[in-house]
Amino acid sequence: MKIVIIGASAAGISAAKTIKVAEPDTQIVVISKEDSIHSRCMLHKYLGHERDAKGISFVHENFFAENNITWLKNTTVVDLDTDKKFVRTNDNQAIYFDKLLIATGASYFIPPIPGLREAKNVYGFRDLKDAQLLDSECKTAKNAVVIGAGLVGMDAAVALLERGLKVSVIEMMNGIMGLQLDEKSAEAYQQLFEEHGAEFLLSDKVTSVDIDEAGKGRTIHLASGKSVCADVIVIAAGVRPSFDFVEKSGIATKNAILVGDDLQTNIKGIYAAGDVIGISGIWPNAMKQGKIAAINMLGEKLRYEDRYALKNTTNFYGLATLSLGNINPKLKESFDVLIREDRNNYQKVVMKNGIILGVIMQGNINSTGFWQYLIKNKIDVSGIDKDVFDLSYADFYKVDSISGEYLYAI
Amino acid sequence: MKRIIIDREKCDGCLNCNVACISAHEEGSNFYTVNLGSVDSETRNFIKFDAKTGYTPIFCRHCDEPECVLSCMSGAMEKDPVTGHVKYDESKCAACYMCVMNCPFGVLKPDNKTRTKVIKCDFCEEKQDGPSCVKACPKQAIEVKEVSR
């Protein structure tokens, strides 16, 4: 059997690995627009000069050769024929397949703000190529402006600060990393970033960008009337799934490629996984989707059930935070919001009727993995007679007598 | 593969497993010289104390389907196809702590000193005679056994 995988990030590589372990004789072709494999979660380490391109790879150096996988790098897919079962590449090759996995990810989005899309010094922070372009700008630029204070924006900011630029971060919400943090935990990071030289313009948004003779965006105007000078602009205002090439193929889409629980599209034998299916934008879930799609392509019938995606960890300047679920409940009075803090820690648990809905652990995140299990499985902890902050896996301890693996006693 | 099999009933919380683990990962140290007060002294296994449930050994299972490996974005966590053990390569780790979040049993933690790596059981792979914690347990509450996978 011949399987073609489009995309070589978390979902694509995880699928290729899974297939090679399960059925090593399967012929695999991986098509990627990049010429190196890299983890986009480590781009800040590249831009900050902590690691080189090789250092941000998440596979072994000779991954493709070792696994006997054909890798078409610097190649994009421009068309898909679902009847004759082939994809056409930008260099006009027709690559035939028995099964296809679309793992093309997502691309950053530049909001339609006057001047922003036209400016030549606006970069996303998504692929190694973006980090490379930013890297060369950093050689001369002094003032950097980051638009969007989500995780990607803060990753970019930390690297730009590391390179000695003056960094201003513009954010519409009133705190940084608004999806992952509450006011208190966001303030702790904001303070750390400010100590390292960053400036924040919160509850504000870009209204226009003035462009100079060279085509570069130089002055950024904000709704508040303020303005910021820029030599280089990083846009971190969200991403959109990338699937242009399926447009005429008959594959069902709705802002993302639509898949069933088996991660198969509406066309038999064609699967999709990762950011392109728009279910969740985080690495662990893309890996798991790639794995499940791969197993199903080999003829099994696994369902993608572990869909929980409201989860993240952050680690900036040595301050670690785990955040899960609904941490900023809108109607506070209808939830139990418990807080425990000391000099080095801020912990918050949001619950209702004994079910934990959200958790923030900032500072010490030791052994906190069990919280996600409690939240996503809606486990009632009201019967456990102890302070909720003292819960641990020990309260649910169970061992499989044959394999010795841990289970949950619930 | 080999797994450390736990008998919770036998554990009486002496923490010899903790000491043995710290010592095994501190160069040149042994039971008598190990410096438990050092910030570098990190145990990879834990005993939870609880009035109701007693002592609960929390040891890395080197799971058949390891969530830590699936969540790793740097390639630092890998399941060894030969031994079945989940190996951690500190030099690759980017300290994002997705693995800490994704281990359903709360086994993993950041290191105390630098917050740049993860503390993870390596099954004492460099030692000829197996995991140090198992050798140190006076109650045989933990034992290495061959399990199918």
Side-chain angles (χ1 to χ4, degrees):
Chain A
M1 184 161 67
K2 181 176 173 185
I3 293 178
V4 170
I5 297 170
I6 316 173
S9 189
I13 294 292
S14 154
K17 270 189 182 173
T18 305
I19 294 164
K20 279 295 168 183
V21 170
E23 289 188 27
D25 294 337
T26 312
Q27 191 189 346
I28 301 180
V29 179
V30 172
I31 303 172
S32 78
K33 63 179 198 281
E34 303 87 6
D35 63 358
S36 74
I37 303 302
H38 58 271
S39 167
R40 65 183 82 264
C41 309
M42 288 197 280
L43 290 179
H44 59 295
K45 293 196 178 274
Y46 176 85
L47 182 57
H49 283 186
E50 198 183 315
R51 294 190 186 190
D52 58 12
K54 217 191 247 178
I56 63 165
S57 170
F58 64 99
V59 294
H60 292 175
E61 202 172 338
N62 300 315
F63 172 77
F64 292 105
E66 275 169 14
N67 288 288
N68 197 18
I69 295 170
T70 306
W71 180 29
L72 303 177
K73 54 187 174 182
N74 294 319
T75 305
T76 47
V77 170
V78 293
D79 204 6
L80 163 61
D81 188 323
T82 55
D83 289 331
K84 299 198 185 84
K85 288 190 168 184
F86 72 87
V87 294
R88 191 167 295 286
T89 63
N90 59 323
D91 52 354
N92 210 24
Q93 293 183 68
I95 317 282
Y96 286 83
F97 58 81
D98 296 311
K99 299 267 170 73
L100 175 70
L101 177 67
I102 301 170
T104 39
S107 336
Y108 63 86
F109 170 77
I110 305 180
I113 293 165
L116 193 60
R117 284 189 177 169
E118 297 80 12
K120 287 179 182 153
N121 56 339
V122 174
Y123 302 93
F125 198 52
R126 175 83 192 164
D127 296 321
L128 181 59
K129 187 189 75 207
D130 300 323
Q132 284 165 337
L133 292 170
L134 273 166
D135 183 43
S136 69
E137 287 275 7
C138 280
K139 285 170 190 145
T140 53
K142 291 195 168 59
N143 300 296
V145 172
V146 177
I147 302 173
L151 270 177
V152 173
M154 299 320 292
D155 267 355
V158 87
L160 294 164
L161 287 165
E162 189 66 28
R163 295 291 296 276
L165 276 75
K166 185 180 172 299
V167 178
S168 305
V169 182
I170 302 165
E171 167 60 45
M172 286 201 289
M173 294 173 83
N174 62 0
I176 65 172
M177 294 183 275
L179 295 177
Q180 288 85 27
L181 304 174
D182 68 350
E183 198 181 333
K184 175 101 185 169
S185 51
E187 271 170 13
Y189 279 116
Q190 189 176 332
Q191 198 181 334
L192 280 171
F193 273 91
E194 283 168 349
E195 281 166 16
H196 286 83
E199 178 196 20
F200 289 92
L201 298 134
L202 304 175
S203 306
D204 213 338
K205 60 180 184 182
V206 180
T207 49
S208 67
V209 178
D210 293 346
I211 295 176
D212 69 5
E213 312 80 58
K216 290 189 166 188
R218 288 296 187 188
T219 310
I220 296 173
H221 298 284
L222 305 177
S224 62
K226 290 179 195 162
S227 60
V228 197
C229 288
D231 300 316
V232 58
I233 301 167
V234 178
I235 184 78
V239 297
R240 302 282 184 274
S242 314
F243 52 84
D244 290 349
F245 68 97
V246 307
E247 211 172 297
K248 296 178 203 127
S249 67
I251 287 186
T253 63
K254 191 182 179 186
N255 301 322
I257 290 183
L258 299 176
V259 290
D261 282 346
D262 56 356
L263 302 179
Q264 192 166 210
T265 66
N266 61 317
I267 309 281
K268 199 166 174 267
I270 299 182
Y271 293 73
D275 285 2
V276 77
I277 63 175
I279 293 177
S280 83
I282 61 169
W283 190 273
N285 292 24
M287 292 278 281
K288 196 168 259 187
Q289 289 164 14
K291 182 170 184 174
I292 289 173
I295 292 169
N296 288 342
M297 286 194 286
L298 296 175
E300 298 289 322
K301 284 193 167 53
L302 271 188
R303 291 154 61 90
Y304 177 59
E305 284 170 336
D306 184 16
R307 287 167 176 261
Y308 200 77
L310 290 171
K311 55 183 179 183
N312 237 309
T313 45
T314 347
N315 184 19
F316 290 115
Y317 301 116
L319 179 64
T321 305
L322 165 85
S323 91
L324 298 164
N326 180 8
I327 47 164
N328 289 310
K330 282 208 176 69
L331 294 162
K332 272 189 198 147
E333 32 316 332
S334 55
F335 297 91
D336 297 321
V337 180
L338 310 165
I339 287 170
R340 182 164 90 169
E341 54 188 319
D342 62 31
R343 201 158 64 88
N344 301 314
N345 294 282
Y346 172 69
Q347 305 178 325
K348 176 177 179 178
V349 171
V350 178
M351 54 196 296
K352 189 173 188 171
N353 302 330
I355 309 288
I356 295 159
L357 303 167
V359 167
I360 295 176
M361 295 283 150
Q362 186 170 61
N364 182 345
I365 62 163
N366 292 359
S367 310
T368 48
F370 72 97
W371 288 105
Q372 183 191 167
Y373 193 92
L374 298 188
I375 294 179
K376 71 184 176 193
N377 294 294
K378 300 185 176 68
I379 293 169
D380 188 346
V381 299
S382 57
I384 303 171
D385 184 23
K386 62 160 70 165
D387 187 330
V388 70
F389 291 107
D390 293 334
L391 290 175
S392 77
Y393 168 67
D395 296 297
F396 311 93
Y397 179 91
K398 190 178 172 181
V399 168
D400 182 289
S401 59
I402 296 163
S403 71
E405 290 208 278
Y406 283 148
L407 304 167
Y408 263 75
I410 41 172
Chain B
M1 63 173 276
K2 287 188 166 61
R3 182 170 279 143
I4 296 171
I5 300 297
I6 304 161
D7 186 343
R8 185 198 213 174
E9 306 305 316
K10 286 185 184 164
C11 175
D12 62 4
C14 72
L15 300 183
N16 266 327
C17 51
N18 285 191
V19 178
C21 183
I22 293 167
S23 173
H25 296 88
E26 192 178 282
E27 214 169 303
S29 104
N30 60 45
F31 187 86
Y32 301 100
T33 63
V34 63
N35 179 2
L36 297 176
S38 162
V39 69
D40 293 309
S41 296
E42 297 253 25
T43 173
R44 284 139 180 81
N45 50 52
F46 310 93
I47 307 293
K48 294 280 181 190
F49 299 87
D50 189 300
K52 251 186 214 161
T53 49
Y55 302 105
T56 306
I58 310 282
F59 283 58
C60 177
R61 302 289 76 212
H62 296 272
C63 298
D64 293 349
E65 295 287 338
E67 290 284 345
C68 56
V69 174
L70 267 183
S71 65
C72 183
M73 59 82 167
S74 69
M77 291 276 184
E78 265 194 329
K79 190 161 174 79
D80 188 313
V82 180
T83 63
H85 295 143
V86 175
K87 297 198 291 192
Y88 167 65
D89 181 345
E90 196 178 300
S91 69
K92 285 187 185 164
C93 177
C96 73
Y97 299 139
M98 282 280 185
C99 58
V100 174
M101 171 181 81
N102 254 32
C103 170
F105 315 113
V107 175
L108 301 176
K109 68 183 283 291
D111 72 302
N112 288 334
K113 190 180 184 179
T114 66
R115 295 268 161 87
T116 57
K117 54 193 179 191
V118 173
I119 300 299
K120 160 91 180 65
C121 167
D122 54 8
F123 217 81
C124 285
E125 244 148 28
E126 282 168 18
K127 304 227 179 325
Q128 295 293 322
D129 47 353
S132 307
C133 52
V134 171
K135 287 177 277 175
C137 180
K139 300 288 297 284
Q140 284 83 51
I142 43 175
E143 282 185 305
V144 174
K145 284 185 183 157
E146 187 71 33
V147 293
S148 61
R149 44 170 168 143

